[in-house]
Amino acid sequence: MPITADYHLHSSFSGDSDTPMEEMILGGIREGLTQMCFTEHNDFDYPASPKEPENIFELNPDSYLYDFLKLKEKYASRMKLCFGLELGLQPQIAKKNAAFAKAHAYDFIIASTHVCNGKDPYYPSFFEGRTQEEANREYFESILENLKVFSNFDVYGHLDYVVRYGPRKDKDYNYEQYLDIIDKILEKLIDGGKGIEINTGSLSRGTLDVSPCSDIVYRFKELGGEIITVGSDAHTPNMVAADFDRATHVLAECGFRYYCTFEGRRPTFHRI
């Protein structure tokens, strides 16, 4: 497998996973990985609902770090483990996110938009009463607003997350529909020295393409983007490194001959 590092992983320290971290590591070893980066969720101001109690996505970083360090030492001869974070961005919590990101020495930080104007596209209510294109556009515009007020991250995660949960997913979706706003997002990321990820988790959730779609990955490269990571967004061991062969193909088709890993917030480039 050309890609041997999974840089988007969740365990029971994230509000949407029950899997012990050690089980995720063993899943990575079985898949032949040499490096894994846990990117546990922290989403301040995540909207409470009957299904999601208040503060479900607020991480206890001290407990997370304690277990992480024990397992990093235990598996040092078999797997390189990195200490990461997935921060959910919203404009009104930019200062809280900045303080949270600085409080620990993370190896890698993903910035993601899970909540757009108070709603998570995971739920059908985000799309009610309008077309999927209108919902998608609102989501992309919210990313640009987040980028204007927050910059302490390394890559932006699943840039078209909204498409993953839309009524028709990505069946009627292409970059050209939103190029006016997506180009601004990509240019802002590149100007700030940030990267994007190829997130293969969308494929298991019914999309036809990775996230962001291949056209966005190509456009990122065309505009001068260099930093790109690959992550499965796995929450269970059986999904670790899922569809990495597809990610390898997308990287090659888009002109990338490498992928990145991080340590101490510094990228390393690996040939594929």
Side-chain angles (χ1 to χ4, degrees):
M1 182 169 61
I3 299 170
T4 61
D6 193 333
Y7 260 63
H8 193 144
L9 294 165
H10 299 282
S11 74
S12 57
F13 287 101
S14 291
D16 54 358
S17 175
D18 297 319
T19 306
M21 187 180 291
E22 188 165 19
E23 290 186 17
M24 297 295 286
I25 295 167
L26 293 172
I29 291 171
R30 287 193 295 270
E31 289 298 321
L33 295 180
T34 61
Q35 191 170 159
M36 299 172 72
C37 185
F38 286 91
T39 53
E40 306 293 3
H41 283 297
N42 192 79
D43 275 73
F44 291 121
D45 285 11
Y46 188 85
S49 72
K51 290 185 178 180
E52 308 290 2
E54 191 174 5
N55 304 328
I56 186 173
F57 289 116
E58 291 192 19
L59 175 65
N60 181 334
D62 296 320
S63 179
Y64 166 33
L65 179 59
Y66 178 79
D67 276 18
F68 172 83
L69 290 175
K70 288 193 300 181
L71 292 168
K72 182 177 182 178
E73 181 178 1
K74 180 177 179 178
Y75 290 97
S77 65
R78 304 174 69 187
M79 177 72 69
K80 182 175 183 178
L81 296 176
C82 291
F83 183 56
L85 175 67
E86 183 179 10
L87 270 180
L89 303 192
Q90 297 183 66
Q92 76 276 13
I93 57 171
K95 289 184 179 179
K96 288 179 71 174
N97 275 338
F100 192 90
K102 290 178 181 177
H104 289 80
Y106 294 101
D107 288 306
F108 176 64
I109 297 178
I110 299 173
S112 295
T113 297
H114 298 120
V115 179
C116 171
N117 295 324
K119 291 184 177 182
D120 187 341
Y122 178 83
Y123 295 102
S125 60
F126 183 80
F127 301 92
E128 289 174 357
R130 55 182 172 167
T131 66
Q132 185 165 333
E133 184 173 350
E134 289 170 335
N136 290 353
R137 182 166 288 276
E138 180 186 340
Y139 179 84
F140 290 131
E141 289 172 347
S142 75
I143 291 179
L144 192 58
E145 291 305 307
N146 284 323
L147 291 176
K148 291 176 181 178
V149 296
F150 189 80
S151 61
N152 189 6
F153 65 92
D154 302 302
V155 307
Y156 216 95
H158 42 55
L159 200 66
D160 51 12
Y161 167 86
V162 65
V163 174
R164 178 188 294 184
Y165 299 111
R168 291 186 54 79
K169 299 190 182 295
D170 59 351
K171 292 180 176 64
D172 304 310
Y173 162 68
N174 64 75
Y175 152 76
E176 296 290 336
Q177 292 170 284
Y178 311 99
L179 66 86
D180 57 319
I181 184 70
I182 291 176
D183 274 6
K184 290 178 183 177
I185 292 169
L186 297 179
E187 288 165 357
K188 184 80 171 173
L189 290 170
I190 293 166
D191 288 347
K194 311 300 182 185
I196 62 171
E197 68 167 357
I198 290 181
N199 186 306
T200 61
S202 291
L203 295 167
S204 65
R205 295 169 174 88
T207 64
L208 303 173
D209 203 352
V210 296
S211 180
C213 67
S214 301
D215 285 347
I216 292 178
V217 177
Y218 180 85
R219 182 61 171 158
F220 178 71
K221 177 68 172 174
E222 188 175 51
L223 290 171
E226 297 181 344
I227 294 171
I228 191 159
T229 59
V230 181
S232 65
D233 209 346
H235 293 65
T236 54
N238 63 306
M239 297 307 295
V240 173
D243 293 301
F244 271 25
D245 288 343
R246 178 72 173 274
T248 302
H249 176 75
V250 171
L251 284 169
E253 287 291 302
C254 294
F256 287 95
R257 299 294 178 261
Y258 60 84
Y259 65 96
C260 294
T261 60
F262 277 78
E263 188 170 6
R265 307 292 301 278
R266 295 181 180 274
T268 298
F269 294 77
H270 304 266
R271 291 192 65 84
I272 55 174

